[in-house]
Amino acid sequence: MNAYAQMKQMVEQFCDTLLNYQVQGFLPSWQGGIACPACKCIHGRCGDAIFPMYYTAVESGKQSYMDAARELVQYMKRRQLQDGSWLNDEASDWKGTTVFQVLSLSHAYDYLAKMGEDTEAQSLKDMISKAAEWLIWAFCKGGIPRNNINYMISSAAALQWCAQILNRPDYALEAEKLMQVELHRINRDGFLVGESKFPHHPYDQIDIGYNFDMSIGAMAEYAMLTRDDRVKAEACRTLRGHLQMIYPDGSMDNSFGSRSYKWTLYGSKTAHGCQMALMLLADQDPAFAEAAARNARYLAGCVDQTGLVGYGPQHDHIFTETCIHSTFNRADSLAVALVYGIWGDSAAHKEDQTAIPSDEPFGTKYYPSLNTCHIRTDNLMGTVTGYGSLNAPTGGALSYLWHNALGPIQIGSATRYKRTEMINMPVYPEPYEGTTTPRIEAMAGGLSYCNLYEHDAQIIAHKDSAVANVYGKLKHEQQSAVTDCQVSYAISYHFFDSFMEKRYAIDVQTAIEQLSIVEPIVFPVDAQIESIEGGIQMAAKQYSLEVTAQSDTFPAHCHGTEQLIAAVFPAVRCVPLSWSLYDVAAGMYEMTIRITTRPQRQLEEGE
């Protein structure tokens, strides 16, 4: 099945799921809304489903989708506030997501009008008109003075739609002003700067997930509407930068981003999807369409047993309930890609594959503005990051280790899981709580230290080989208020075709209570695990995976094989392997961790 057919099938599948949760005959105020089975509420952004529902109604000719779209429109009309905005959720006072309702309504209006459904299209116009005035106040006149970049770029696209639908050239002028300002936020590496959860933190400005899933798509949409060649060229430049973050299987590397606490491997939980950007610009590079297709396939593998989009590839094995947010977001993005994408002879319309940048065994690539590098050999790929986002993998950690048959082997997660967005972030499933990022930990003076709090690690990527070196110091979470523990470290990463090594060298300047190397390993579904000397061996997907440690200073025996931990985002389970020393004297401590993969047939043949 080619990508166009698969994406179309997915939109209909997601709409079918949404129909199952559309409220009928319960509370009059909820009538037509889409209830979330996990959050026990109706999310304010469920209006994102209006466009994919209308699209599926017209494409399939089925009245059930048309009825559902009309019911949802009526619900959104009742929920629109006097000032023209919508609340993100009833328990929230945030209205910025109004911009995404305007985009969905505008897409629906345009699509319906073009398909001869003019009466249906006109029924949306009043909502668009009221919301447009609020967007002007909020994002153009300073009503909301500080915003993440995705809101600003999305507002430029939304106001351009409003200008054309409502015949308001003044809206187009405001949209242009917004876009011209935000174009200057694309850095030399091609990354959008300005997606920040902690605006006073110097490294907390770039998020691959939101840039890819939201901002670049809106930029491409604005270029499509205005035929502005400069905006299109800059959208292509930043899209090529972000394309480096798509792994060969279509997963998206947002392991280190400023909002990586909602990273799902297919994107970000409450964002739309990278297919918008990739397909609207598909005529500029065949790799764009190929990446859109691969990511859609990866997304399809993260759908749970009830048809809802989960939080990662092992969602069903961790959670019993699923938030509906990602399902209507992804349906919206895929519908935009189908209707406004440039298909023609694009790679995504064909059965054969086009190469994307991560397919090549390039050795190392370093991204200066991210202080992050990728390492790639024939069978392995990894991300080593020192970007420095708060509460995210950093300090030279291996935040993503991937194998071409096994998929994720190691995966980073929030250092401490915090429900930063209460409604959009579920309670941690208790049996699985734990950090999945590989790390060094120490206990000194009764306080815990870790490389994941080192925001200034030095990373040296060796251009002509698959080797990267990291240098840093173990730090406490509250760095400015706590004494330095006098422990520095170096990690040397060496990648080969079928194995990789992490060579740790830890310099303890004064005696400490404990020193640990923690190496959580992704536990594949239906894997078999056994302890071996110095580590473990797992069998999964017709491959054997061995994790072993060699050291003259650390004990050979590892802990953690008797339990599993899991990340909420992305939803994967891990075996939390660790090697520990106690009552640690001053000195140098070294350990090499080797992770080896081989097909099962090689073991059977004694190779």
Side-chain angles (χ1 to χ4, degrees):
M1 183 187 299
N2 65 36
Y4 183 90
Q6 181 177 30
M7 290 185 203
K8 189 171 182 180
Q9 183 184 77
M10 289 171 72
V11 173
E12 185 166 344
Q13 175 191 347
F14 293 161
C15 285
D16 285 341
T17 300
L18 295 173
L19 283 177
N20 293 334
Y21 295 98
Q22 188 166 40
V23 178
Q24 301 289 346
F26 181 51
L27 295 173
S29 60
W30 281 34
Q31 180 70 22
I34 298 172
C36 179
C39 304
K40 316 305 182 200
C41 70
I42 297 180
H43 291 295
R45 280 179 61 190
C46 70
D48 287 8
I50 288 172
F51 174 50
M53 202 68 79
Y54 271 129
Y55 166 79
T56 305
V58 172
E59 291 292 314
S60 69
K62 294 179 181 177
Q63 189 62 36
S64 58
Y65 299 119
M66 185 64 75
D67 292 342
R70 288 169 178 165
E71 288 264 30
L72 184 54
V73 166
Q74 292 306 310
Y75 172 81
M76 294 305 293
K77 283 184 176 179
R78 293 194 304 272
R79 302 307 298 175
Q80 191 169 26
L81 302 177
Q82 260 191 329
D83 62 5
S85 68
W86 287 271
L87 289 171
N88 183 45
D89 279 300
E90 286 190 15
S92 166
D93 61 357
W94 177 241
K95 301 177 181 180
T97 50
T98 296
V99 64
F100 308 127
Q101 308 298 336
V102 173
L103 283 170
S104 186
L105 290 168
S106 297
H107 298 147
Y109 176 93
D110 179 66
Y111 175 72
L112 289 167
K114 287 175 179 174
M115 299 303 289
E117 300 280 353
D118 194 58
T119 302
E120 206 72 41
Q122 291 300 318
S123 70
L124 309 177
K125 207 167 181 179
D126 185 52
M127 275 196 292
I128 295 171
S129 179
K130 289 176 181 176
E133 284 298 309
W134 187 86
L135 292 182
I136 293 288
W137 170 82
F139 299 117
C140 303
K141 305 302 183 187
I144 303 178
R146 179 180 287 160
N147 290 283
N148 284 332
I149 194 170
N150 82 83
Y151 286 101
M152 308 308 286
I153 294 177
S154 295
S155 293
L159 286 170
Q160 185 60 40
W161 273 114
C162 294
Q164 296 178 197
I165 291 169
L166 304 171
N167 192 24
R168 290 287 300 268
D170 55 322
Y171 288 168
L173 290 174
E174 296 293 347
E176 183 181 16
K177 288 179 194 174
L178 283 175
M179 186 58 72
Q180 294 307 316
V181 168
E182 301 310 320
L183 287 180
H184 294 289
R185 308 294 293 277
I186 304 172
N187 71 18
R188 188 171 61 178
D189 291 347
F191 297 109
L192 276 170
V193 180
E195 196 62 45
S196 175
K197 193 67 182 175
F198 306 95
H200 302 299
H201 189 65
Y203 308 107
D204 196 53
Q205 296 289 316
I206 297 173
D207 188 75
I208 301 303
Y210 270 81
N211 288 351
F212 225 143
D213 285 352
M214 306 287 274
S215 300
I216 306 174
M219 193 181 295
E221 203 167 319
Y222 178 90
M224 173 192 75
L225 293 170
T226 61
R227 299 184 181 179
D228 187 316
D229 290 338
R230 182 182 172 227
V231 174
K232 186 173 185 177
E234 285 297 279
C236 284
R237 182 167 78 87
T238 191
L239 188 56
R240 287 194 174 95
H242 289 76
L243 184 65
Q244 311 294 319
M245 301 297 141
I246 298 292
Y247 267 53
D249 62 353
S251 59
M252 183 186 297
D253 180 15
N254 191 33
S255 57
F256 51 84
S258 60
R259 302 182 74 178
S260 62
Y261 55 84
K262 290 196 289 185
W263 177 43
T264 59
L265 276 167
Y266 55 79
S268 195
K269 177 183 181 274
T270 56
H272 285 111
C274 63
Q275 283 72 27
M276 295 188 302
L278 291 163
M279 289 315 305
L280 265 64
L281 296 169
D283 60 333
Q284 301 300 298
D285 189 332
F288 292 167
E290 179 64 31
R294 294 194 200 184
N295 182 262
R297 287 196 293 272
Y298 197 90
L299 170 65
C302 295
V303 175
D304 76 5
Q305 294 176 357
T306 67
L308 292 165
V309 178
Y311 314 146
Q314 293 189 16
H315 178 95
D316 270 335
H317 298 273
I318 302 168
F319 295 94
T320 57
E321 294 181 316
T322 307
C323 175
I324 206 165
H325 216 297
S326 295
T327 305
F328 56 69
N329 291 150
R330 299 288 152 172
D332 194 19
S333 170
L334 293 170
V336 170
L338 289 164
V339 173
Y340 298 104
I342 300 171
W343 293 89
D345 294 326
S346 74
H349 227 159
K350 301 175 180 177
E351 300 287 350
D352 56 331
Q353 282 198 347
T354 299
I356 64 174
S358 62
D359 287 337
E360 179 191 354
F362 48 70
T364 62
K365 283 184 186 177
Y366 180 70
Y367 310 99
S369 61
L370 300 175
N371 192 25
T372 293
C373 75
H374 281 149
I375 309 176
R376 179 76 165 105
T377 60
D378 283 343
N379 296 313
L380 294 169
M381 184 167 176
T383 302
V384 176
T385 186
Y387 180 54
S389 284
L390 290 177
N391 202 38
T394 190
L398 186 65
S399 56
Y400 191 10
L401 176 61
W402 175 91
H403 181 263
N404 63 359
L406 292 167
I409 294 175
Q410 291 193 297
I411 205 92
S413 64
T415 306
R416 290 182 186 276
Y417 182 68
K418 301 174 182 177
R419 298 180 68 197
T420 311
E421 300 175 22
M422 289 291 288
I423 292 179
N424 292 319
M425 300 179 72
V427 173
Y428 217 123
E430 287 184 8
Y432 291 118
E433 190 161 359
T435 301
T436 61
T437 312
R439 60 199 182 274
I440 307 168
E441 295 179 337
M443 186 70 70
L447 299 173
S448 60
Y449 295 80
C450 186
N451 67 310
L452 300 183
Y453 301 122
E454 167 60 287
H455 299 300
D456 298 298
Q458 181 184 11
I459 294 177
I460 300 173
H462 298 269
K463 204 168 185 182
D464 299 324
S465 63
V467 176
N469 295 322
V470 172
Y471 305 93
K473 298 184 76 174
L474 299 190
K475 293 180 179 176
H476 187 270
E477 186 173 9
Q478 303 297 326
Q479 295 181 27
S480 60
V482 175
T483 305
D484 185 349
C485 74
Q486 298 293 306
V487 178
S488 58
Y489 62 89
I491 311 171
S492 185
Y493 295 97
H494 296 253
F495 277 58
F496 303 90
D497 286 345
S498 61
F499 70 95
M500 63 84 58
E501 289 184 345
K502 305 180 189 184
R503 301 171 187 173
Y504 289 94
I506 304 168
D507 184 359
V508 179
Q509 288 290 318
T510 59
I512 59 176
E513 293 98 282
Q514 183 177 339
L515 181 64
S516 300
I517 291 174
V518 186
E519 294 284 347
I521 303 296
V522 172
F523 184 73
V525 175
D526 298 327
Q528 296 177 323
I529 183 171
E530 63 177 300
S531 294
I532 58 174
E533 185 176 355
I536 62 164
Q537 179 175 291
M538 282 196 289
K541 300 180 181 179
Q542 279 149 36
Y543 267 76
S544 168
L545 174 71
E546 288 184 6
V547 183
T548 55
Q550 292 181 328
S551 176
D552 293 330
T553 51
F554 276 84
H557 179 70
C558 68
H559 299 276
T561 57
E562 68 285 347
Q563 62 182 1
L564 293 178
I565 61 170
V568 175
F569 297 109
V572 293
R573 298 173 301 166
C574 294
V575 183
L577 301 183
S578 66
W579 293 260
S580 297
L581 286 170
Y582 301 91
D583 299 322
V584 184
M588 285 293 299
Y589 296 86
E590 297 181 351
M591 174 176 271
T592 296
I593 302 291
R594 174 179 279 206
I595 299 174
T596 305
T597 63
R598 57 171 64 92
Q600 287 279 16
R601 60 176 176 76
Q602 288 187 7
L603 289 176
E604 292 163 3
E605 294 167 5
E607 294 179 24

PDB file of all heavy atoms in Angstrom, residues 271-296:
ATOM      1  N   ALA A 271       0.577  17.557  19.578  1.00  0.00           N
ATOM      2  CA  ALA A 271       0.857  18.273  18.329  1.00  0.00           C
ATOM      3  C   ALA A 271       0.180  17.549  17.167  1.00  0.00           C
ATOM      4  O   ALA A 271      -0.309  16.433  17.312  1.00  0.00           O
ATOM      5  CB  ALA A 271       2.361  18.368  18.115  1.00  0.00           C
ATOM      6  N   HIS A 272       0.166  18.189  16.005  1.00  0.00           N
ATOM      7  CA  HIS A 272      -0.597  17.652  14.881  1.00  0.00           C
ATOM      8  C   HIS A 272       0.106  16.509  14.158  1.00  0.00           C
ATOM      9  O   HIS A 272      -0.403  15.409  14.077  1.00  0.00           O
ATOM     10  CB  HIS A 272      -0.923  18.777  13.896  1.00  0.00           C
ATOM     11  CG  HIS A 272      -2.001  19.679  14.359  1.00  0.00           C
ATOM     12  ND1 HIS A 272      -1.776  20.994  14.718  1.00  0.00           N
ATOM     13  CD2 HIS A 272      -3.304  19.466  14.580  1.00  0.00           C
ATOM     14  CE1 HIS A 272      -2.908  21.545  15.121  1.00  0.00           C
ATOM     15  NE2 HIS A 272      -3.854  20.632  15.046  1.00  0.00           N
ATOM     16  N   GLY A 273       1.286  16.764  13.600  1.00  0.00           N
ATOM     17  CA  GLY A 273       1.975  15.713  12.863  1.00  0.00           C
ATOM     18  C   GLY A 273       2.857  16.278  11.772  1.00  0.00           C
ATOM     19  O   GLY A 273       2.533  17.300  11.164  1.00  0.00           O
ATOM     20  N   CYS A 274       3.976  15.602  11.495  1.00  0.00           N
ATOM     21  CA  CYS A 274       4.947  16.116  10.530  1.00  0.00           C
ATOM     22  C   CYS A 274       4.487  15.968   9.087  1.00  0.00           C
ATOM     23  O   CYS A 274       5.084  16.555   8.180  1.00  0.00           O
ATOM     24  CB  CYS A 274       6.283  15.403  10.716  1.00  0.00           C
ATOM     25  SG  CYS A 274       6.245  13.624  10.403  1.00  0.00           S
ATOM     26  N   GLN A 275       3.422  15.200   8.836  1.00  0.00           N
ATOM     27  CA  GLN A 275       2.969  15.012   7.454  1.00  0.00           C
ATOM     28  C   GLN A 275       2.542  16.323   6.798  1.00  0.00           C
ATOM     29  O   GLN A 275       2.670  16.478   5.585  1.00  0.00           O
ATOM     30  CB  GLN A 275       1.811  14.002   7.401  1.00  0.00           C
ATOM     31  CG  GLN A 275       2.228  12.552   7.533  1.00  0.00           C
ATOM     32  CD  GLN A 275       2.668  12.172   8.922  1.00  0.00           C
ATOM     33  OE1 GLN A 275       2.242  12.783   9.911  1.00  0.00           O
ATOM     34  NE2 GLN A 275       3.520  11.175   9.041  1.00  0.00           N
ATOM     35  N   MET A 276       2.037  17.265   7.581  1.00  0.00           N
ATOM     36  CA  MET A 276       1.653  18.575   7.017  1.00  0.00           C
ATOM     37  C   MET A 276       2.847  19.208   6.328  1.00  0.00           C
ATOM     38  O   MET A 276       2.803  19.556   5.145  1.00  0.00           O
ATOM     39  CB  MET A 276       1.141  19.521   8.107  1.00  0.00           C
ATOM     40  CG  MET A 276      -0.127  19.109   8.782  1.00  0.00           C
ATOM     41  SD  MET A 276      -0.758  20.416   9.883  1.00  0.00           S
ATOM     42  CE  MET A 276       0.614  20.649  11.019  1.00  0.00           C
ATOM     43  N   ALA A 277       3.927  19.402   7.071  1.00  0.00           N
ATOM     44  CA  ALA A 277       5.110  20.065   6.524  1.00  0.00           C
ATOM     45  C   ALA A 277       5.715  19.270   5.380  1.00  0.00           C
ATOM     46  O   ALA A 277       6.023  19.819   4.310  1.00  0.00           O
ATOM     47  CB  ALA A 277       6.146  20.270   7.629  1.00  0.00           C
ATOM     48  N   LEU A 278       5.890  17.979   5.592  1.00  0.00           N
ATOM     49  CA  LEU A 278       6.599  17.157   4.619  1.00  0.00           C
ATOM     50  C   LEU A 278       5.860  17.039   3.294  1.00  0.00           C
ATOM     51  O   LEU A 278       6.476  17.064   2.221  1.00  0.00           O
ATOM     52  CB  LEU A 278       6.856  15.776   5.216  1.00  0.00           C
ATOM     53  CG  LEU A 278       7.876  15.753   6.371  1.00  0.00           C
ATOM     54  CD1 LEU A 278       7.772  14.462   7.154  1.00  0.00           C
ATOM     55  CD2 LEU A 278       9.295  15.951   5.847  1.00  0.00           C
ATOM     56  N   MET A 279       4.522  16.930   3.329  1.00  0.00           N
ATOM     57  CA  MET A 279       3.786  16.756   2.080  1.00  0.00           C
ATOM     58  C   MET A 279       3.475  18.093   1.392  1.00  0.00           C
ATOM     59  O   MET A 279       3.387  18.153   0.177  1.00  0.00           O
ATOM     60  CB  MET A 279       2.498  15.964   2.326  1.00  0.00           C
ATOM     61  CG  MET A 279       2.730  14.501   2.642  1.00  0.00           C
ATOM     62  SD  MET A 279       3.935  13.643   1.571  1.00  0.00           S
ATOM     63  CE  MET A 279       3.284  13.962  -0.068  1.00  0.00           C
ATOM     64  N   LEU A 280       3.327  19.175   2.148  1.00  0.00           N
ATOM     65  CA  LEU A 280       3.104  20.468   1.495  1.00  0.00           C
ATOM     66  C   LEU A 280       4.345  20.939   0.751  1.00  0.00           C
ATOM     67  O   LEU A 280       4.255  21.765  -0.162  1.00  0.00           O
ATOM     68  CB  LEU A 280       2.671  21.530   2.516  1.00  0.00           C
ATOM     69  CG  LEU A 280       1.154  21.745   2.651  1.00  0.00           C
ATOM     70  CD1 LEU A 280       0.456  20.498   3.166  1.00  0.00           C
ATOM     71  CD2 LEU A 280       0.861  22.929   3.563  1.00  0.00           C
ATOM     72  N   LEU A 281       5.509  20.410   1.123  1.00  0.00           N
ATOM     73  CA  LEU A 281       6.761  20.781   0.461  1.00  0.00           C
ATOM     74  C   LEU A 281       7.382  19.602  -0.282  1.00  0.00           C
ATOM     75  O   LEU A 281       8.569  19.604  -0.605  1.00  0.00           O
ATOM     76  CB  LEU A 281       7.743  21.323   1.507  1.00  0.00           C
ATOM     77  CG  LEU A 281       7.312  22.624   2.196  1.00  0.00           C
ATOM     78  CD1 LEU A 281       8.215  22.921   3.389  1.00  0.00           C
ATOM     79  CD2 LEU A 281       7.321  23.793   1.213  1.00  0.00           C
ATOM     80  N   ALA A 282       6.578  18.600  -0.580  1.00  0.00           N
ATOM     81  CA  ALA A 282       7.096  17.349  -1.153  1.00  0.00           C
ATOM     82  C   ALA A 282       7.726  17.540  -2.526  1.00  0.00           C
ATOM     83  O   ALA A 282       8.577  16.734  -2.936  1.00  0.00           O
ATOM     84  CB  ALA A 282       5.980  16.310  -1.238  1.00  0.00           C
ATOM     85  N   ASP A 283       7.345  18.594  -3.254  1.00  0.00           N
ATOM     86  CA  ASP A 283       7.929  18.821  -4.571  1.00  0.00           C
ATOM     87  C   ASP A 283       9.355  19.363  -4.491  1.00  0.00           C
ATOM     88  O   ASP A 283      10.053  19.439  -5.503  1.00  0.00           O
ATOM     89  CB  ASP A 283       7.064  19.777  -5.392  1.00  0.00           C
ATOM     90  CG  ASP A 283       6.908  21.142  -4.739  1.00  0.00           C
ATOM     91  OD1 ASP A 283       7.004  21.227  -3.495  1.00  0.00           O
ATOM     92  OD2 ASP A 283       6.678  22.127  -5.467  1.00  0.00           O
ATOM     93  N   GLN A 284       9.785  19.754  -3.299  1.00  0.00           N
ATOM     94  CA  GLN A 284      11.112  20.344  -3.146  1.00  0.00           C
ATOM     95  C   GLN A 284      12.201  19.298  -2.896  1.00  0.00           C
ATOM     96  O   GLN A 284      13.382  19.566  -3.109  1.00  0.00           O
ATOM     97  CB  GLN A 284      11.110  21.344  -1.981  1.00  0.00           C
ATOM     98  CG  GLN A 284      10.125  22.469  -2.145  1.00  0.00           C
ATOM     99  CD  GLN A 284      10.392  23.303  -3.388  1.00  0.00           C
ATOM    100  OE1 GLN A 284      11.440  23.919  -3.511  1.00  0.00           O
ATOM    101  NE2 GLN A 284       9.436  23.309  -4.310  1.00  0.00           N
ATOM    102  N   ASP A 285      11.829  18.124  -2.441  1.00  0.00           N
ATOM    103  CA  ASP A 285      12.818  17.095  -2.125  1.00  0.00           C
ATOM    104  C   ASP A 285      12.075  15.771  -1.957  1.00  0.00           C
ATOM    105  O   ASP A 285      11.181  15.671  -1.113  1.00  0.00           O
ATOM    106  CB  ASP A 285      13.549  17.460  -0.818  1.00  0.00           C
ATOM    107  CG  ASP A 285      14.733  16.557  -0.536  1.00  0.00           C
ATOM    108  OD1 ASP A 285      14.728  15.389  -0.967  1.00  0.00           O
ATOM    109  OD2 ASP A 285      15.680  17.013   0.141  1.00  0.00           O
ATOM    110  N   PRO A 286      12.410  14.758  -2.737  1.00  0.00           N
ATOM    111  CA  PRO A 286      11.696  13.468  -2.605  1.00  0.00           C
ATOM    112  C   PRO A 286      11.852  12.840  -1.225  1.00  0.00           C
ATOM    113  O   PRO A 286      11.009  12.037  -0.809  1.00  0.00           O
ATOM    114  CB  PRO A 286      12.339  12.585  -3.689  1.00  0.00           C
ATOM    115  CG  PRO A 286      13.623  13.264  -4.060  1.00  0.00           C
ATOM    116  CD  PRO A 286      13.408  14.720  -3.820  1.00  0.00           C
ATOM    117  N   ALA A 287      12.888  13.215  -0.497  1.00  0.00           N
ATOM    118  CA  ALA A 287      13.072  12.669   0.855  1.00  0.00           C
ATOM    119  C   ALA A 287      11.977  13.154   1.799  1.00  0.00           C
ATOM    120  O   ALA A 287      11.682  12.485   2.800  1.00  0.00           O
ATOM    121  CB  ALA A 287      14.448  13.064   1.398  1.00  0.00           C
ATOM    122  N   PHE A 288      11.372  14.314   1.512  1.00  0.00           N
ATOM    123  CA  PHE A 288      10.289  14.813   2.375  1.00  0.00           C
ATOM    124  C   PHE A 288       9.104  13.850   2.356  1.00  0.00           C
ATOM    125  O   PHE A 288       8.562  13.472   3.396  1.00  0.00           O
ATOM    126  CB  PHE A 288       9.831  16.207   1.922  1.00  0.00           C
ATOM    127  CG  PHE A 288      10.844  17.308   2.121  1.00  0.00           C
ATOM    128  CD1 PHE A 288      10.670  18.548   1.521  1.00  0.00           C
ATOM    129  CD2 PHE A 288      11.966  17.115   2.911  1.00  0.00           C
ATOM    130  CE1 PHE A 288      11.580  19.568   1.707  1.00  0.00           C
ATOM    131  CE2 PHE A 288      12.900  18.134   3.102  1.00  0.00           C
ATOM    132  CZ  PHE A 288      12.704  19.362   2.490  1.00  0.00           C
ATOM    133  N   ALA A 289       8.692  13.467   1.143  1.00  0.00           N
ATOM    134  CA  ALA A 289       7.547  12.551   1.023  1.00  0.00           C
ATOM    135  C   ALA A 289       7.873  11.189   1.623  1.00  0.00           C
ATOM    136  O   ALA A 289       7.026  10.554   2.253  1.00  0.00           O
ATOM    137  CB  ALA A 289       7.141  12.411  -0.443  1.00  0.00           C
ATOM    138  N   GLU A 290       9.103  10.746   1.438  1.00  0.00           N
ATOM    139  CA  GLU A 290       9.507   9.445   1.996  1.00  0.00           C
ATOM    140  C   GLU A 290       9.448   9.468   3.521  1.00  0.00           C
ATOM    141  O   GLU A 290       8.958   8.531   4.153  1.00  0.00           O
ATOM    142  CB  GLU A 290      10.922   9.100   1.535  1.00  0.00           C
ATOM    143  CG  GLU A 290      11.453   7.788   2.058  1.00  0.00           C
ATOM    144  CD  GLU A 290      10.676   6.585   1.561  1.00  0.00           C
ATOM    145  OE1 GLU A 290      10.137   6.623   0.434  1.00  0.00           O
ATOM    146  OE2 GLU A 290      10.616   5.581   2.301  1.00  0.00           O
ATOM    147  N   ALA A 291       9.932  10.568   4.111  1.00  0.00           N
ATOM    148  CA  ALA A 291       9.894  10.685   5.570  1.00  0.00           C
ATOM    149  C   ALA A 291       8.456  10.729   6.077  1.00  0.00           C
ATOM    150  O   ALA A 291       8.136  10.146   7.119  1.00  0.00           O
ATOM    151  CB  ALA A 291      10.656  11.928   6.017  1.00  0.00           C
ATOM    152  N   ALA A 292       7.578  11.428   5.346  1.00  0.00           N
ATOM    153  CA  ALA A 292       6.160  11.476   5.729  1.00  0.00           C
ATOM    154  C   ALA A 292       5.554  10.080   5.735  1.00  0.00           C
ATOM    155  O   ALA A 292       4.789   9.712   6.639  1.00  0.00           O
ATOM    156  CB  ALA A 292       5.388  12.384   4.769  1.00  0.00           C
ATOM    157  N   ALA A 293       5.902   9.285   4.726  1.00  0.00           N
ATOM    158  CA  ALA A 293       5.371   7.927   4.620  1.00  0.00           C
ATOM    159  C   ALA A 293       5.885   7.035   5.755  1.00  0.00           C
ATOM    160  O   ALA A 293       5.121   6.293   6.378  1.00  0.00           O
ATOM    161  CB  ALA A 293       5.757   7.331   3.264  1.00  0.00           C
ATOM    162  N   ARG A 294       7.171   7.121   6.034  1.00  0.00           N
ATOM    163  CA  ARG A 294       7.744   6.268   7.084  1.00  0.00           C
ATOM    164  C   ARG A 294       7.181   6.641   8.452  1.00  0.00           C
ATOM    165  O   ARG A 294       6.891   5.776   9.276  1.00  0.00           O
ATOM    166  CB  ARG A 294       9.273   6.383   7.090  1.00  0.00           C
ATOM    167  CG  ARG A 294       9.933   5.830   5.843  1.00  0.00           C
ATOM    168  CD  ARG A 294      11.415   5.665   6.045  1.00  0.00           C
ATOM    169  NE  ARG A 294      12.137   5.584   4.776  1.00  0.00           N
ATOM    170  CZ  ARG A 294      13.425   5.357   4.658  1.00  0.00           C
ATOM    171  NH1 ARG A 294      14.166   5.180   5.753  1.00  0.00           N
ATOM    172  NH2 ARG A 294      14.008   5.316   3.475  1.00  0.00           N
ATOM    173  N   ASN A 295       7.041   7.940   8.705  1.00  0.00           N
ATOM    174  CA  ASN A 295       6.508   8.347   9.993  1.00  0.00           C
ATOM    175  C   ASN A 295       5.050   7.913  10.147  1.00  0.00           C
ATOM    176  O   ASN A 295       4.627   7.528  11.241  1.00  0.00           O
ATOM    177  CB  ASN A 295       6.632   9.859  10.178  1.00  0.00           C
ATOM    178  CG  ASN A 295       6.123  10.325  11.520  1.00  0.00           C
ATOM    179  OD1 ASN A 295       4.987  10.788  11.642  1.00  0.00           O
ATOM    180  ND2 ASN A 295       6.942  10.208  12.544  1.00  0.00           N
ATOM    181  N   ALA A 296       4.281   7.948   9.047  1.00  0.00           N
ATOM    182  CA  ALA A 296       2.889   7.492   9.105  1.00  0.00           C
ATOM    183  C   ALA A 296       2.830   6.002   9.442  1.00  0.00           C
ATOM    184  O   ALA A 296       1.975   5.561  10.222  1.00  0.00           O
ATOM    185  CB  ALA A 296       2.185   7.773   7.783  1.00  0.00           C
TER     186      ALA A 296
END
